[in-house]
Amino acid sequence: MAAPILVIAEQKQGQLNRQSWETLVAGQQLAETRQAPLAAVLLGKGIAGLAEELAAKKTDEVWLVEHDLLEAYTPDGYAAALRQLIQQLQPALVLLPHTYQVRDFAPKLAASFQRSLISDCIGLGGDSKQTVFVRQMFQGKVNVDVVPAGDPPHFASFQAGAFRADALKEGERKAAIKQAEVELAADQIRSKPEAPFREAKQAVDLSQAEIIVAVGRGIKSPENLDLANRLAALLGAEVGASRPICDEGWLPMERQIGSSGQTVAPKLYLALGISGAIQHVVGMKGARTVVAVNKDANAPIFEVADYGIVGDLFEVVPALIEALEKGS
Amino acid sequence: MKIAVCMKQVPAKDAPLRINEAATWVREGDLSFETNEPDAFALEEALRLKEKHGGEVVVVSLGPERVRQVIKEGLAKGAERAIHICDDEFYGLDPLQMAAALAGAVREEKFDLLLTGLQSDDHGFGQTGVVLAELLGLPHATIIMEIEVQNGRVRVKRELEAGWFQWIELPLPAVLTIQSGINKPRYASLKGIMAAKKKEVRDLKRADVLPPDQVATQATKRIYVPEKAKQTEFLQGTPKEAVAKLLEKLKHEARIL
Ligand SMILES: Cc1cc2nc3c(=O)[nH]c(=O)nc-3n(C[C@H](O)[C@H](O)[C@H](O)COP(=O)(O)OP(=O)(O)OC[C@H]3O[C@@H](n4cnc5c(N)ncnc54)[C@H](O)[C@@H]3O)c2cc1C
Ligand SMILES: Nc1ncnc2c1ncn2[C@@H]1O[C@H](COP(=O)(O)O)[C@@H](O)[C@H]1O
C-alpha cells in the first residue's frame, strides 16, 4: 500500500480553524489521486471532542496527540511530538495549513528530517506518481511549480483559501481515532509562552462598515491621506489601510486590514494603491464588490477586483471626488 | 552582545518582472533592487540592541555581486562588519540549502542573537530563519514586534493573527524573525557612509559554507505569470471617463450607490 498522507489540523481554544478543513480537502484530493490512505493529526490537551469532528470526515484514521506539555503551543513541543509520530507512521506527505503557528514550527520539523517546507501553496497538480505544488513568488506576481526532491517524507503548507472548505467530503463511516504515545520532557521546551492578548480595545470596528476606502503605499505620503478622507466622507465610508500605512503611523493600527489586522466584509471596498498581497487580501476578500485603482495592470489586487481602473490614483481619485460632488 | 543580521536583496517593489528563458527566475538585467523590507527592520533592531547593551552587529548576505549594496547600507548605518556569501545561482537554492549556507557562515562565530526577516519578497519561503535556528540547534521565535534582553534571556512580543499578540521568553543564544513595523529604521549618515568604506567584508563562496551533500529537497519546475482567474471589468478612458463608467456600474450593476 502507498505511504499515507498526513494532515496536521490546528486547534485553538477548542476549535478547529477553517484553514485546517481546507487542508483536509487538499489531503482528500491527494489521497484519491495517489491512491494513498489519509490520516489527520491533532495536537493539544483535552481535545478528544475535536478528534470526533475530524473522524466524521472522509479520512482513514485520526491521530490524537495529547500531552500536558502540548497544552500551550511551543515550537519545541510541537516539533518533537510530530517528529515521533512521523517516524512511526512514515508518511509520504505531511500537509499543514499555512498559519502563523505552522510558520513557526513546520520549517523546524521539516529541517529535523533534512527536508524543507514547500510553503504557502495555492494549488496542486501532477499525477498519481508525482505531485506538483503551486506556490507564489515575488509577492504574488509570479507562480512557481515545485516538486519534492529525494525520499519522503515531504512537507507542504497551504495558503488560506487555496481549497474550499465546503468541498470537504464526509466519511461513509467514522474513522478510527488513535492515541499517539509521545515522549516529551519539560527541559526539551526552551521557550516560555505567556497568554495571548489584544492591544487596547479597538475604537473603530471596520467589520460593520458598509463602504471602505482603503489606501496602500501608493498614497505615498501622509499628507495625501486627505484625498482618501474626502472621498470617504462623500461616500459615507470608513477609511482602512494596508499594513505599511499603519506601520508608518500614518493611520492607527486599528484601521489595518488583513491577516494581522481586521477582517472586513463591506458592500463596497475601494482599494487605492494597494498591491493585493495575500496577507491583505484575506482580510477583505469577503467584500461584495471590490474596486481597485492601481497604476500596475498586473497588480495581484485585480485578481479580486470586480471593477478595475489602471491609472494614477492622484488623477483618478480627484476625478471621482469631482464626479460625486457634482452628482450630489 | 554579538548579533548577526541576515539581509537579502530583492527586486524593488515596483520593478516590472520578466521571466528568464529557462523559466527559473526573473531577468535580473531589467531590474532595480532594494533591501528586503523586514530585513531593514531587523538591522535597525540589532543596532538598537547593540547601542543599549554593547557588542557588535554583523550583516550576513547571500547573493550575487549586487548584494554588496545591501552590505554597504548595513555598514553605513552602523554594523561593524559583514559576511558576503557570493553566489550567482542563489535563486536555485531551496530553503534548507539557503539556511544551511547561512548557518555555515555564522556557526563558528558564536553569536548571541541572530535576526532574520520573517519572509523574503522574492522567494517568499517564510522559513529561512526558523531553519537556521534548527540547523544551529538554537531556540527561535517568529514574527517579532518587540525585543527585551535581560540577563542572558530575551523576552519577545510575537504577533499572532487578527490583532493578537503574545510575549515569549527564550534563553540566548536564539534566532528571531522580525516583522516589518517593529521600529523606525534610521538613515545612514554621511559620516557612516564614509566609515563604511573601511569596514571589513568577509568574502565567501557557496562551496565554503554549503556541504556538497546538502542537496535540494524541493525543485522548481518552472515559473510563470499566473493566468487571471477573475473576470475583472477594466474601465478604460481618461480618468474622468473611467470614473463616470465606474459610478454608472456601482449604481446600476452593483446597486451600491
Ligand atoms: C505575516 C505577515 C502578515 C502581514 N499582515 C498584513 C496585514 O494584516 N495587512 C496588510 O495589508 N499587509 C500585511 N502584510 C504585508 C503584505 O505582505 C504586503 O507587504 C502589504 O500588504 C503591501 O502593502 P501595499 O499594497 O500598500 O504596498 P505595496 O505592495 O508597495 O503596493 C503599492 C501599490 O501601489 C501601486 N501604486 C503606486 N503608486 C501608485 C499611484 N500613483 N496610483 C495608483 N497606484 C499606485 C503600486 O503599483 C503597488 O501595486 C503582512 C505580511 C506578512 C509576512
Ligand atoms: N540569500 C539570503 N541572504 C541573507 N539573508 C537571507 C537570504 N535568504 C533569506 N534570508 C533571510 O531569511 C529571511 C526569510 O526569507 P525566506 O525564508 O526566503 O522568506 C529573510 O528576510 C532574510 O532575513
Side-chain angles (χ1 to χ4, degrees), chain A residues 103-104 108 116-117 119 135 138-139 143 145 147 149 192 194 197-198 217 259-260 302 306-308, chain B residues 119 121-122 124-125 127 134 140 142 162 165-167 169 217-219 221 224 228 232-233 235 253:
Chain A
R103 297 173 68 111
D104 195 57
K108 172 183 168 70
S116 57
L117 177 68
S119 55
R135 57 186 302 278
F138 299 99
Q139 296 249 322
N143 280 4
D145 287 350
V147 290
K192 282 205 194 107
E194 297 172 24
F197 64 96
R198 272 196 138 166
R217 209 175 342 227
S259 61
S260 49
F302 289 122
D306 300 281
Y307 304 108
Chain B
Q119 188 158 332
D121 274 358
D122 53 359
F125 293 136
Q127 59 185 295
E134 175 68 14
H140 74 267
T142 53
F165 297 91
Q166 175 181 40
W167 285 94
E169 210 188 272
T217 58
Q218 51 177 282
K221 278 185 70 176
Y224 50 97
K228 254 178 81 73
T232 305
E233 193 171 344
L235 307 168
E253 237 177 61

Side-chain angles (χ1 to χ4, degrees), chain A residues 210-277:
Chain A
E210 299 241 309
I211 302 181
I212 293 177
V213 172
V215 291
R217 209 175 342 227
I219 199 80
K220 298 242 156 43
S221 77
E223 296 77 53
N224 296 332
L225 281 175
D226 187 44
L227 212 53
N229 288 330
R230 275 162 56 209
L231 179 59
L234 283 165
L235 290 169
E238 289 281 356
V239 174
S242 67
R243 182 174 180 121
I245 302 302
C246 302
D247 281 348
E248 290 282 353
W250 298 352
L251 281 173
M253 270 281 272
E254 58 200 24
R255 295 201 178 265
Q256 180 176 312
I257 292 162
S259 61
S260 49
Q262 298 210 37
T263 301
V264 298
K267 282 191 188 144
L268 176 62
Y269 190 90
L270 262 156
L272 308 175
I274 292 178
S275 63

Side-chain angles (χ1 to χ4, degrees), chain A residues 118 122-126 130-138 141-148, chain B residues 18-26 91-92 122-123 125 218-227:
Chain A
I118 304 176
I122 56 166
L124 290 169
Q130 183 162 61
T131 301
V132 176
F133 294 88
V134 185
R135 57 186 302 278
Q136 297 172 309
M137 293 202 303
F138 299 99
K141 291 188 200 111
V142 168
N143 280 4
V144 53
D145 287 350
V146 178
V147 290
Chain B
R18 287 202 297 158
I19 288 162
N20 70 10
E21 228 149 80
T24 50
W25 194 240
V26 290
Y91 55 84
D122 53 359
H123 287 100
F125 293 136
Q218 51 177 282
T220 295
K221 278 185 70 176
R222 66 179 186 116
I223 76 171
Y224 50 97
V225 176
E227 272 179 37

